[in-house]
Amino acid sequence: MRITVVSGKGGVGKSILASSLAILFSKNNELVAIDCDVDAPNLALWLGIDTSNPQNAKFSKEISTTSKPFIDKTKCKRCGACISACNFQALELSKKKEVRLVSYKCEGCGLCEIVCPFNAIKLKPVKNCLLTRFDTKWGFPVIQGQIKPGEAESGEAVVEIRTYAKQIQEKHSIIIQDAAAGIGCPIIASIKGSDYIIAVAEPSLSSFSDLKRVLSVVTHFEIPYGIVLNKCDLNKQISVKIKKFADENYLGSISYDKKVVKSIVELRPVVESNIKACDEIQKIYNKLMERL
């Protein structure tokens, strides 16, 4: 069973819920948790792991999910065909009048290799993402990827992370995935193949609008889903609208509590804190189990 937690907007509490559900599921199931937000992974932090300490990593490996052009200076005639063809302005002439790559602008599309009349450009894989595995005190692993600054192909990175997780999941019956916010490539790569989606929203007009957008992607793939409303007491009027919109797909609400912030600062999972949100998340878990 692959359960993916999504949100149309960032900062609505998606990782709070994903980490809490992982802990609750682990009490009766063998599971793997995957952080599919490869641009800014934080699921391990919500599970109390100091990711800045390399010694906490059980496994770490640089992987390649994209390619970049390499220029053979002995063949390059500086004709400028590649520079003119690149839509991302990723190629330019240096002060020495040599063609050079501006790496952070390159999308790895390969057009420069095609248009070069002297066969001076070849696309080669580059290691652009760090794949890491952490083990939690609850007995389940957390897999995450971190795209290097300025690098692209975050959707492909999610695919690679899920592939790695699949290699170690033979004994696991549940996979909890914490997706990135929005509706871009990483989200599509995350929800593909999921059995159930949990969409998290907060009571704001922007979050409500983005909730509808991300659910349009979910329904396109015909995946059943439930909706959780976080910080529900901040705007009761919009909360009522979201609950009405959710209808039978409504899983529950979580109240706003400043102690949640204190919990993450102390690297203490929410479900192990003595706060109201803990009981509310337990009720959401119970209702989710009924649905599943």
Side-chain angles (χ1 to χ4, degrees), residues 15-49:
S15 297
I16 297 173
L17 185 62
S19 59
S20 299
L21 290 178
I23 293 172
L24 293 173
F25 270 110
S26 69
K27 293 180 180 180
N28 299 303
N29 303 273
E30 295 290 331
L31 69 88
V32 176
I34 307 176
D35 193 333
C36 295
D37 186 354
V38 294
D39 293 294
N42 66 350
L43 181 61
L45 288 173
W46 282 105
L47 290 166
I49 300 171

PDB file of all heavy atoms in Angstrom, residues 15-49:
ATOM      1  N   SER A  15       4.304  17.695   5.803  1.00  0.00           N
ATOM      2  CA  SER A  15       5.344  16.855   6.406  1.00  0.00           C
ATOM      3  C   SER A  15       5.016  16.481   7.848  1.00  0.00           C
ATOM      4  O   SER A  15       5.414  15.412   8.324  1.00  0.00           O
ATOM      5  CB  SER A  15       6.702  17.561   6.341  1.00  0.00           C
ATOM      6  OG  SER A  15       7.100  17.760   4.998  1.00  0.00           O
ATOM      7  N   ILE A  16       4.302  17.366   8.540  1.00  0.00           N
ATOM      8  CA  ILE A  16       3.845  17.040   9.897  1.00  0.00           C
ATOM      9  C   ILE A  16       2.973  15.792   9.867  1.00  0.00           C
ATOM     10  O   ILE A  16       3.158  14.860  10.649  1.00  0.00           O
ATOM     11  CB  ILE A  16       3.037  18.210  10.508  1.00  0.00           C
ATOM     12  CG1 ILE A  16       3.898  19.452  10.663  1.00  0.00           C
ATOM     13  CG2 ILE A  16       2.431  17.810  11.847  1.00  0.00           C
ATOM     14  CD1 ILE A  16       3.115  20.672  11.104  1.00  0.00           C
ATOM     15  N   LEU A  17       2.028  15.788   8.923  1.00  0.00           N
ATOM     16  CA  LEU A  17       1.097  14.672   8.834  1.00  0.00           C
ATOM     17  C   LEU A  17       1.795  13.408   8.338  1.00  0.00           C
ATOM     18  O   LEU A  17       1.570  12.320   8.872  1.00  0.00           O
ATOM     19  CB  LEU A  17      -0.061  15.030   7.909  1.00  0.00           C
ATOM     20  CG  LEU A  17      -1.177  13.991   7.809  1.00  0.00           C
ATOM     21  CD1 LEU A  17      -1.834  13.779   9.168  1.00  0.00           C
ATOM     22  CD2 LEU A  17      -2.216  14.407   6.780  1.00  0.00           C
ATOM     23  N   ALA A  18       2.655  13.543   7.327  1.00  0.00           N
ATOM     24  CA  ALA A  18       3.349  12.377   6.767  1.00  0.00           C
ATOM     25  C   ALA A  18       4.217  11.691   7.811  1.00  0.00           C
ATOM     26  O   ALA A  18       4.212  10.465   7.934  1.00  0.00           O
ATOM     27  CB  ALA A  18       4.193  12.802   5.562  1.00  0.00           C
ATOM     28  N   SER A  19       4.962  12.472   8.577  1.00  0.00           N
ATOM     29  CA  SER A  19       5.834  11.898   9.611  1.00  0.00           C
ATOM     30  C   SER A  19       5.016  11.241  10.721  1.00  0.00           C
ATOM     31  O   SER A  19       5.371  10.158  11.216  1.00  0.00           O
ATOM     32  CB  SER A  19       6.735  12.978  10.203  1.00  0.00           C
ATOM     33  OG  SER A  19       5.979  14.035  10.779  1.00  0.00           O
ATOM     34  N   SER A  20       3.914  11.873  11.095  1.00  0.00           N
ATOM     35  CA  SER A  20       3.060  11.328  12.158  1.00  0.00           C
ATOM     36  C   SER A  20       2.405  10.019  11.731  1.00  0.00           C
ATOM     37  O   SER A  20       2.368   9.049  12.496  1.00  0.00           O
ATOM     38  CB  SER A  20       1.984  12.352  12.538  1.00  0.00           C
ATOM     39  OG  SER A  20       2.561  13.551  13.016  1.00  0.00           O
ATOM     40  N   LEU A  21       1.912   9.981  10.499  1.00  0.00           N
ATOM     41  CA  LEU A  21       1.283   8.756   9.988  1.00  0.00           C
ATOM     42  C   LEU A  21       2.300   7.624   9.878  1.00  0.00           C
ATOM     43  O   LEU A  21       1.977   6.457  10.140  1.00  0.00           O
ATOM     44  CB  LEU A  21       0.637   9.017   8.632  1.00  0.00           C
ATOM     45  CG  LEU A  21      -0.603   9.909   8.628  1.00  0.00           C
ATOM     46  CD1 LEU A  21      -1.095  10.124   7.203  1.00  0.00           C
ATOM     47  CD2 LEU A  21      -1.716   9.306   9.486  1.00  0.00           C
ATOM     48  N   ALA A  22       3.537   7.952   9.491  1.00  0.00           N
ATOM     49  CA  ALA A  22       4.579   6.929   9.393  1.00  0.00           C
ATOM     50  C   ALA A  22       4.805   6.269  10.746  1.00  0.00           C
ATOM     51  O   ALA A  22       4.921   5.045  10.851  1.00  0.00           O
ATOM     52  CB  ALA A  22       5.866   7.558   8.868  1.00  0.00           C
ATOM     53  N   ILE A  23       4.854   7.075  11.802  1.00  0.00           N
ATOM     54  CA  ILE A  23       5.061   6.543  13.151  1.00  0.00           C
ATOM     55  C   ILE A  23       3.876   5.688  13.584  1.00  0.00           C
ATOM     56  O   ILE A  23       4.046   4.591  14.132  1.00  0.00           O
ATOM     57  CB  ILE A  23       5.291   7.695  14.149  1.00  0.00           C
ATOM     58  CG1 ILE A  23       6.611   8.405  13.842  1.00  0.00           C
ATOM     59  CG2 ILE A  23       5.298   7.172  15.587  1.00  0.00           C
ATOM     60  CD1 ILE A  23       6.834   9.666  14.642  1.00  0.00           C
ATOM     61  N   LEU A  24       2.661   6.176  13.321  1.00  0.00           N
ATOM     62  CA  LEU A  24       1.466   5.434  13.732  1.00  0.00           C
ATOM     63  C   LEU A  24       1.328   4.123  12.959  1.00  0.00           C
ATOM     64  O   LEU A  24       0.993   3.085  13.542  1.00  0.00           O
ATOM     65  CB  LEU A  24       0.226   6.309  13.517  1.00  0.00           C
ATOM     66  CG  LEU A  24       0.126   7.551  14.420  1.00  0.00           C
ATOM     67  CD1 LEU A  24      -1.041   8.428  14.012  1.00  0.00           C
ATOM     68  CD2 LEU A  24       0.009   7.134  15.888  1.00  0.00           C
ATOM     69  N   PHE A  25       1.587   4.134  11.667  1.00  0.00           N
ATOM     70  CA  PHE A  25       1.520   2.911  10.860  1.00  0.00           C
ATOM     71  C   PHE A  25       2.582   1.900  11.284  1.00  0.00           C
ATOM     72  O   PHE A  25       2.367   0.690  11.206  1.00  0.00           O
ATOM     73  CB  PHE A  25       1.690   3.235   9.373  1.00  0.00           C
ATOM     74  CG  PHE A  25       0.412   3.521   8.658  1.00  0.00           C
ATOM     75  CD1 PHE A  25       0.118   4.802   8.216  1.00  0.00           C
ATOM     76  CD2 PHE A  25      -0.506   2.515   8.399  1.00  0.00           C
ATOM     77  CE1 PHE A  25      -1.058   5.078   7.543  1.00  0.00           C
ATOM     78  CE2 PHE A  25      -1.693   2.769   7.723  1.00  0.00           C
ATOM     79  CZ  PHE A  25      -1.966   4.058   7.295  1.00  0.00           C
ATOM     80  N   SER A  26       3.741   2.398  11.713  1.00  0.00           N
ATOM     81  CA  SER A  26       4.861   1.507  12.045  1.00  0.00           C
ATOM     82  C   SER A  26       4.587   0.644  13.284  1.00  0.00           C
ATOM     83  O   SER A  26       5.271  -0.350  13.508  1.00  0.00           O
ATOM     84  CB  SER A  26       6.136   2.322  12.271  1.00  0.00           C
ATOM     85  OG  SER A  26       6.061   3.098  13.458  1.00  0.00           O
ATOM     86  N   LYS A  27       3.575   1.025  14.060  1.00  0.00           N
ATOM     87  CA  LYS A  27       3.264   0.246  15.271  1.00  0.00           C
ATOM     88  C   LYS A  27       2.698  -1.127  14.922  1.00  0.00           C
ATOM     89  O   LYS A  27       2.858  -2.078  15.697  1.00  0.00           O
ATOM     90  CB  LYS A  27       2.255   1.021  16.126  1.00  0.00           C
ATOM     91  CG  LYS A  27       2.827   2.321  16.709  1.00  0.00           C
ATOM     92  CD  LYS A  27       1.786   3.060  17.538  1.00  0.00           C
ATOM     93  CE  LYS A  27       2.357   4.344  18.113  1.00  0.00           C
ATOM     94  NZ  LYS A  27       1.365   5.099  18.933  1.00  0.00           N
ATOM     95  N   ASN A  28       2.057  -1.240  13.759  1.00  0.00           N
ATOM     96  CA  ASN A  28       1.455  -2.519  13.365  1.00  0.00           C
ATOM     97  C   ASN A  28       1.873  -2.986  11.973  1.00  0.00           C
ATOM     98  O   ASN A  28       1.392  -4.012  11.497  1.00  0.00           O
ATOM     99  CB  ASN A  28      -0.081  -2.403  13.404  1.00  0.00           C
ATOM    100  CG  ASN A  28      -0.600  -2.073  14.793  1.00  0.00           C
ATOM    101  OD1 ASN A  28      -0.334  -2.794  15.743  1.00  0.00           O
ATOM    102  ND2 ASN A  28      -1.327  -0.974  14.899  1.00  0.00           N
ATOM    103  N   ASN A  29       2.745  -2.210  11.312  1.00  0.00           N
ATOM    104  CA  ASN A  29       3.145  -2.552   9.944  1.00  0.00           C
ATOM    105  C   ASN A  29       4.627  -2.294   9.730  1.00  0.00           C
ATOM    106  O   ASN A  29       5.224  -1.432  10.380  1.00  0.00           O
ATOM    107  CB  ASN A  29       2.364  -1.710   8.927  1.00  0.00           C
ATOM    108  CG  ASN A  29       0.865  -1.861   9.052  1.00  0.00           C
ATOM    109  OD1 ASN A  29       0.272  -2.757   8.473  1.00  0.00           O
ATOM    110  ND2 ASN A  29       0.248  -0.972   9.804  1.00  0.00           N
ATOM    111  N   GLU A  30       5.207  -3.050   8.804  1.00  0.00           N
ATOM    112  CA  GLU A  30       6.555  -2.760   8.335  1.00  0.00           C
ATOM    113  C   GLU A  30       6.424  -1.733   7.213  1.00  0.00           C
ATOM    114  O   GLU A  30       5.633  -1.926   6.293  1.00  0.00           O
ATOM    115  CB  GLU A  30       7.233  -4.027   7.806  1.00  0.00           C
ATOM    116  CG  GLU A  30       7.471  -5.097   8.880  1.00  0.00           C
ATOM    117  CD  GLU A  30       8.531  -4.693   9.868  1.00  0.00           C
ATOM    118  OE1 GLU A  30       9.432  -3.925   9.482  1.00  0.00           O
ATOM    119  OE2 GLU A  30       8.459  -5.131  11.032  1.00  0.00           O
ATOM    120  N   LEU A  31       7.174  -0.634   7.300  1.00  0.00           N
ATOM    121  CA  LEU A  31       6.996   0.399   6.288  1.00  0.00           C
ATOM    122  C   LEU A  31       8.303   1.070   5.894  1.00  0.00           C
ATOM    123  O   LEU A  31       9.319   0.947   6.573  1.00  0.00           O
ATOM    124  CB  LEU A  31       5.984   1.452   6.751  1.00  0.00           C
ATOM    125  CG  LEU A  31       6.347   2.402   7.902  1.00  0.00           C
ATOM    126  CD1 LEU A  31       7.061   3.640   7.393  1.00  0.00           C
ATOM    127  CD2 LEU A  31       5.092   2.818   8.667  1.00  0.00           C
ATOM    128  N   VAL A  32       8.233   1.798   4.780  1.00  0.00           N
ATOM    129  CA  VAL A  32       9.310   2.655   4.305  1.00  0.00           C
ATOM    130  C   VAL A  32       8.736   4.056   4.134  1.00  0.00           C
ATOM    131  O   VAL A  32       7.637   4.215   3.601  1.00  0.00           O
ATOM    132  CB  VAL A  32       9.871   2.168   2.953  1.00  0.00           C
ATOM    133  CG1 VAL A  32      10.925   3.138   2.426  1.00  0.00           C
ATOM    134  CG2 VAL A  32      10.475   0.788   3.075  1.00  0.00           C
ATOM    135  N   ALA A  33       9.452   5.065   4.620  1.00  0.00           N
ATOM    136  CA  ALA A  33       9.041   6.454   4.422  1.00  0.00           C
ATOM    137  C   ALA A  33       9.954   7.087   3.369  1.00  0.00           C
ATOM    138  O   ALA A  33      11.174   6.911   3.422  1.00  0.00           O
ATOM    139  CB  ALA A  33       9.123   7.232   5.726  1.00  0.00           C
ATOM    140  N   ILE A  34       9.354   7.798   2.424  1.00  0.00           N
ATOM    141  CA  ILE A  34      10.119   8.419   1.342  1.00  0.00           C
ATOM    142  C   ILE A  34       9.808   9.911   1.286  1.00  0.00           C
ATOM    143  O   ILE A  34       8.643  10.299   1.228  1.00  0.00           O
ATOM    144  CB  ILE A  34       9.781   7.785  -0.023  1.00  0.00           C
ATOM    145  CG1 ILE A  34       9.937   6.270   0.015  1.00  0.00           C
ATOM    146  CG2 ILE A  34      10.668   8.384  -1.113  1.00  0.00           C
ATOM    147  CD1 ILE A  34       9.516   5.586  -1.284  1.00  0.00           C
ATOM    148  N   ASP A  35      10.854  10.730   1.309  1.00  0.00           N
ATOM    149  CA  ASP A  35      10.682  12.174   1.119  1.00  0.00           C
ATOM    150  C   ASP A  35      10.881  12.469  -0.358  1.00  0.00           C
ATOM    151  O   ASP A  35      12.003  12.427  -0.867  1.00  0.00           O
ATOM    152  CB  ASP A  35      11.699  12.944   1.969  1.00  0.00           C
ATOM    153  CG  ASP A  35      11.351  14.422   2.057  1.00  0.00           C
ATOM    154  OD1 ASP A  35      10.702  14.932   1.121  1.00  0.00           O
ATOM    155  OD2 ASP A  35      11.722  15.078   3.046  1.00  0.00           O
ATOM    156  N   CYS A  36       9.793  12.767  -1.046  1.00  0.00           N
ATOM    157  CA  CYS A  36       9.837  13.010  -2.491  1.00  0.00           C
ATOM    158  C   CYS A  36      10.051  14.476  -2.834  1.00  0.00           C
ATOM    159  O   CYS A  36      10.024  14.846  -4.015  1.00  0.00           O
ATOM    160  CB  CYS A  36       8.553  12.513  -3.145  1.00  0.00           C
ATOM    161  SG  CYS A  36       8.326  10.723  -3.058  1.00  0.00           S
ATOM    162  N   ASP A  37      10.265  15.321  -1.826  1.00  0.00           N
ATOM    163  CA  ASP A  37      10.578  16.727  -2.082  1.00  0.00           C
ATOM    164  C   ASP A  37      12.092  16.851  -2.188  1.00  0.00           C
ATOM    165  O   ASP A  37      12.779  17.187  -1.220  1.00  0.00           O
ATOM    166  CB  ASP A  37      10.027  17.609  -0.961  1.00  0.00           C
ATOM    167  CG  ASP A  37      10.189  19.096  -1.259  1.00  0.00           C
ATOM    168  OD1 ASP A  37      10.827  19.421  -2.279  1.00  0.00           O
ATOM    169  OD2 ASP A  37       9.700  19.919  -0.477  1.00  0.00           O
ATOM    170  N   VAL A  38      12.633  16.577  -3.361  1.00  0.00           N
ATOM    171  CA  VAL A  38      14.083  16.509  -3.537  1.00  0.00           C
ATOM    172  C   VAL A  38      14.741  17.887  -3.588  1.00  0.00           C
ATOM    173  O   VAL A  38      15.968  17.990  -3.532  1.00  0.00           O
ATOM    174  CB  VAL A  38      14.448  15.719  -4.808  1.00  0.00           C
ATOM    175  CG1 VAL A  38      14.038  14.270  -4.674  1.00  0.00           C
ATOM    176  CG2 VAL A  38      13.799  16.344  -6.040  1.00  0.00           C
ATOM    177  N   ASP A  39      13.944  18.953  -3.697  1.00  0.00           N
ATOM    178  CA  ASP A  39      14.507  20.301  -3.667  1.00  0.00           C
ATOM    179  C   ASP A  39      14.692  20.794  -2.236  1.00  0.00           C
ATOM    180  O   ASP A  39      15.613  21.573  -1.960  1.00  0.00           O
ATOM    181  CB  ASP A  39      13.610  21.264  -4.446  1.00  0.00           C
ATOM    182  CG  ASP A  39      13.603  20.963  -5.936  1.00  0.00           C
ATOM    183  OD1 ASP A  39      14.665  21.124  -6.570  1.00  0.00           O
ATOM    184  OD2 ASP A  39      12.552  20.553  -6.456  1.00  0.00           O
ATOM    185  N   ALA A  40      13.822  20.364  -1.331  1.00  0.00           N
ATOM    186  CA  ALA A  40      13.925  20.790   0.066  1.00  0.00           C
ATOM    187  C   ALA A  40      13.376  19.696   0.988  1.00  0.00           C
ATOM    188  O   ALA A  40      12.308  19.850   1.583  1.00  0.00           O
ATOM    189  CB  ALA A  40      13.163  22.099   0.278  1.00  0.00           C
ATOM    190  N   PRO A  41      14.075  18.562   1.115  1.00  0.00           N
ATOM    191  CA  PRO A  41      13.583  17.461   1.955  1.00  0.00           C
ATOM    192  C   PRO A  41      13.628  17.807   3.446  1.00  0.00           C
ATOM    193  O   PRO A  41      14.605  18.388   3.928  1.00  0.00           O
ATOM    194  CB  PRO A  41      14.563  16.325   1.630  1.00  0.00           C
ATOM    195  CG  PRO A  41      15.824  17.011   1.212  1.00  0.00           C
ATOM    196  CD  PRO A  41      15.379  18.259   0.505  1.00  0.00           C
ATOM    197  N   ASN A  42      12.554  17.466   4.166  1.00  0.00           N
ATOM    198  CA  ASN A  42      12.533  17.744   5.608  1.00  0.00           C
ATOM    199  C   ASN A  42      11.801  16.670   6.417  1.00  0.00           C
ATOM    200  O   ASN A  42      11.601  16.832   7.617  1.00  0.00           O
ATOM    201  CB  ASN A  42      11.905  19.118   5.886  1.00  0.00           C
ATOM    202  CG  ASN A  42      10.433  19.181   5.512  1.00  0.00           C
ATOM    203  OD1 ASN A  42       9.906  18.272   4.869  1.00  0.00           O
ATOM    204  ND2 ASN A  42       9.764  20.253   5.908  1.00  0.00           N
ATOM    205  N   LEU A  43      11.396  15.586   5.770  1.00  0.00           N
ATOM    206  CA  LEU A  43      10.660  14.541   6.483  1.00  0.00           C
ATOM    207  C   LEU A  43      11.491  13.948   7.604  1.00  0.00           C
ATOM    208  O   LEU A  43      10.980  13.694   8.701  1.00  0.00           O
ATOM    209  CB  LEU A  43      10.230  13.445   5.505  1.00  0.00           C
ATOM    210  CG  LEU A  43       9.430  12.285   6.102  1.00  0.00           C
ATOM    211  CD1 LEU A  43       8.130  12.784   6.719  1.00  0.00           C
ATOM    212  CD2 LEU A  43       9.139  11.221   5.046  1.00  0.00           C
ATOM    213  N   ALA A  44      12.774  13.726   7.357  1.00  0.00           N
ATOM    214  CA  ALA A  44      13.652  13.150   8.381  1.00  0.00           C
ATOM    215  C   ALA A  44      13.751  14.066   9.601  1.00  0.00           C
ATOM    216  O   ALA A  44      13.835  13.590  10.740  1.00  0.00           O
ATOM    217  CB  ALA A  44      15.038  12.879   7.803  1.00  0.00           C
ATOM    218  N   LEU A  45      13.723  15.373   9.380  1.00  0.00           N
ATOM    219  CA  LEU A  45      13.762  16.323  10.502  1.00  0.00           C
ATOM    220  C   LEU A  45      12.537  16.168  11.387  1.00  0.00           C
ATOM    221  O   LEU A  45      12.636  16.182  12.619  1.00  0.00           O
ATOM    222  CB  LEU A  45      13.840  17.761   9.972  1.00  0.00           C
ATOM    223  CG  LEU A  45      15.168  18.204   9.347  1.00  0.00           C
ATOM    224  CD1 LEU A  45      15.023  19.575   8.717  1.00  0.00           C
ATOM    225  CD2 LEU A  45      16.276  18.217  10.387  1.00  0.00           C
ATOM    226  N   TRP A  46      11.370  16.000  10.746  1.00  0.00           N
ATOM    227  CA  TRP A  46      10.135  15.817  11.512  1.00  0.00           C
ATOM    228  C   TRP A  46      10.132  14.489  12.266  1.00  0.00           C
ATOM    229  O   TRP A  46       9.345  14.305  13.198  1.00  0.00           O
ATOM    230  CB  TRP A  46       8.917  15.896  10.588  1.00  0.00           C
ATOM    231  CG  TRP A  46       8.546  17.290  10.218  1.00  0.00           C
ATOM    232  CD1 TRP A  46       8.756  17.912   9.031  1.00  0.00           C
ATOM    233  CD2 TRP A  46       7.900  18.252  11.059  1.00  0.00           C
ATOM    234  NE1 TRP A  46       8.293  19.200   9.078  1.00  0.00           N
ATOM    235  CE2 TRP A  46       7.756  19.434  10.309  1.00  0.00           C
ATOM    236  CE3 TRP A  46       7.441  18.238  12.376  1.00  0.00           C
ATOM    237  CZ2 TRP A  46       7.168  20.587  10.831  1.00  0.00           C
ATOM    238  CZ3 TRP A  46       6.845  19.378  12.890  1.00  0.00           C
ATOM    239  CH2 TRP A  46       6.715  20.534  12.122  1.00  0.00           C
ATOM    240  N   LEU A  47      11.006  13.589  11.868  1.00  0.00           N
ATOM    241  CA  LEU A  47      11.132  12.306  12.565  1.00  0.00           C
ATOM    242  C   LEU A  47      12.290  12.325  13.567  1.00  0.00           C
ATOM    243  O   LEU A  47      12.722  11.284  14.049  1.00  0.00           O
ATOM    244  CB  LEU A  47      11.325  11.176  11.553  1.00  0.00           C
ATOM    245  CG  LEU A  47      10.077  10.858  10.716  1.00  0.00           C
ATOM    246  CD1 LEU A  47      10.433   9.992   9.519  1.00  0.00           C
ATOM    247  CD2 LEU A  47       9.006  10.182  11.572  1.00  0.00           C
ATOM    248  N   GLY A  48      12.792  13.528  13.852  1.00  0.00           N
ATOM    249  CA  GLY A  48      13.792  13.677  14.908  1.00  0.00           C
ATOM    250  C   GLY A  48      15.214  13.344  14.510  1.00  0.00           C
ATOM    251  O   GLY A  48      16.058  13.089  15.374  1.00  0.00           O
ATOM    252  N   ILE A  49      15.519  13.345  13.213  1.00  0.00           N
ATOM    253  CA  ILE A  49      16.862  12.994  12.741  1.00  0.00           C
ATOM    254  C   ILE A  49      17.616  14.251  12.338  1.00  0.00           C
ATOM    255  O   ILE A  49      17.117  15.057  11.542  1.00  0.00           O
ATOM    256  CB  ILE A  49      16.789  12.028  11.541  1.00  0.00           C
ATOM    257  CG1 ILE A  49      16.065  10.742  11.946  1.00  0.00           C
ATOM    258  CG2 ILE A  49      18.178  11.709  11.019  1.00  0.00           C
ATOM    259  CD1 ILE A  49      15.759   9.826  10.776  1.00  0.00           C
TER     260      ILE A  49
END
